[in-house]
């Protein structure tokens, strides 16, 4: 069975909204006022090498699809299969674009079938609403969180009311000179 691992840039108050750019009031918060230290982002290279697929919600897909295919840093992600969970996106909006190997999944049952197939880890980037649904359905196996030393006060939060209790076991943690903290958790079943 393939593990589903959620990987997020997250503020101290749980916001995952628009860490790089976007329409959100605090967009780009991961790169504003926080010193860049390469070692804080090394986990992203490791994830890219270990992953066998990306799983994205509609909103994150629509934000990533125009940008990621042009980014050399994401060559491995760009080459691997990408699955978009959406009941509303037209198939052509996902498959007929300039981002290779994209597919639509219409339900969490289809996600569960993907998880049961052979292969390596499936990563979920961003996609807060999808993550909350995956958690509620018991489909998440782990988290890789880069927690930034900032409180944003508003925005999409990863930990929404009503998602239910999830017990986690800390697998690894590191703290970097700029205050970013890596926390990797396994979901305890």
């Amino acid at each position: 069975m393939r593990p589903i691992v959620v990987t997020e840039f997250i503020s101290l108050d749980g916001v995952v909204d628009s860490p790089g750019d976007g329409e959100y009031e605090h967009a780009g918060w991961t790169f504003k006022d926080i010193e860049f230290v390469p070692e804080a982002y090394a986990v992203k290279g490791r994830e890219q090498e270990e992953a066998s697929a990306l799983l994205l919600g509609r909103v994150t897909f629509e934000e990533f699809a125009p940008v990621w295919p042009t980014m050399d840093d994401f060559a491995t992600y760009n080459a691997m299969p990408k699955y978009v969970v959406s009941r509303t996106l037209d198939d052509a909006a996902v498959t007929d674009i300039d981002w290779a190997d994209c597919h639509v999944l219409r339900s969490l049952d289809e996600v569960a079938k993907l998880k049961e197939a052979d292969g390596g880890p499936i990563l979920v980037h961003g996609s807060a609403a999808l993550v909350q649904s995956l958690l509620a359905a018991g489909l998440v196996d782990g988290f890789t969180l880069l927690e930034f030393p900032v409180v944003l006060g508003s925005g999409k939060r990863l930990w929404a009311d009503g998602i239910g209790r999830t017990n986690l076991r800390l697998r690894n943690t590191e703290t970097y000179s700029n205050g970013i903290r890596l926390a990797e958790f396994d979901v305890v079943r």
Side-chain angles (χ1 to χ4, degrees):
M1 186 173 298
R2 303 166 78 177
I4 292 179
V5 178
V6 174
T7 181
E8 300 282 357
F9 292 149
I10 190 166
S11 70
L12 287 174
D13 56 341
V15 174
V16 293
D17 199 351
S18 306
D21 201 6
E23 303 284 322
Y24 169 58
E25 160 188 16
H26 301 294
W29 55 269
T30 56
F31 301 107
K32 293 178 182 173
D33 303 321
I34 298 173
E35 177 190 0
F36 177 82
V37 294
E39 57 271 17
Y41 299 93
V43 68
K44 294 301 169 188
R46 187 183 79 222
E47 284 177 335
Q48 196 172 167
E49 294 305 315
E50 293 173 355
S52 66
L54 287 177
L55 184 65
L56 305 169
R58 178 191 55 80
V59 173
T60 300
F61 171 78
E62 289 176 336
E63 290 173 358
F64 285 10
V67 179
W68 277 34
T70 65
M71 298 179 78
D72 293 337
D73 289 344
F74 298 142
T76 303
Y77 281 143
N78 289 332
M80 71 178 59
K82 291 158 284 295
Y83 299 90
V84 182
V85 182
S86 175
R87 289 188 283 281
T88 58
L89 273 179
D90 180 80
D91 285 354
V94 174
T95 59
D96 295 349
I97 63 169
D98 192 23
W99 202 16
D101 210 359
C102 292
H103 312 273
V104 179
L105 300 178
R106 297 291 180 196
S107 69
L108 293 180
D109 289 338
E110 290 184 37
V111 173
K113 287 179 187 171
L114 177 66
K115 182 177 166 62
E116 291 170 6
D118 290 334
I122 301 167
L123 292 187
V124 182
H125 281 271
S127 308
L130 174 60
V131 170
Q132 293 161 9
S133 296
L134 293 169
L135 270 172
L139 294 172
V140 175
D141 298 292
F143 290 90
T144 300
L145 305 176
L146 275 178
E147 185 180 65
F148 284 71
V150 62
V151 174
L152 297 172
S154 65
K156 289 181 197 168
R157 297 185 193 281
L158 187 61
W159 319 117
D161 289 343
I163 61 171
R165 179 180 173 146
T166 302
N167 292 329
L168 305 174
R169 180 178 300 115
L170 184 64
R171 179 171 24 90
N172 180 43
T173 186
E174 295 177 34
T175 303
Y176 305 102
S177 62
N178 61 356
I180 294 175
R181 182 174 51 189
L182 168 67
E184 295 177 289
F185 296 95
D186 294 321
V187 173
V188 177
R189 300 213 196 290

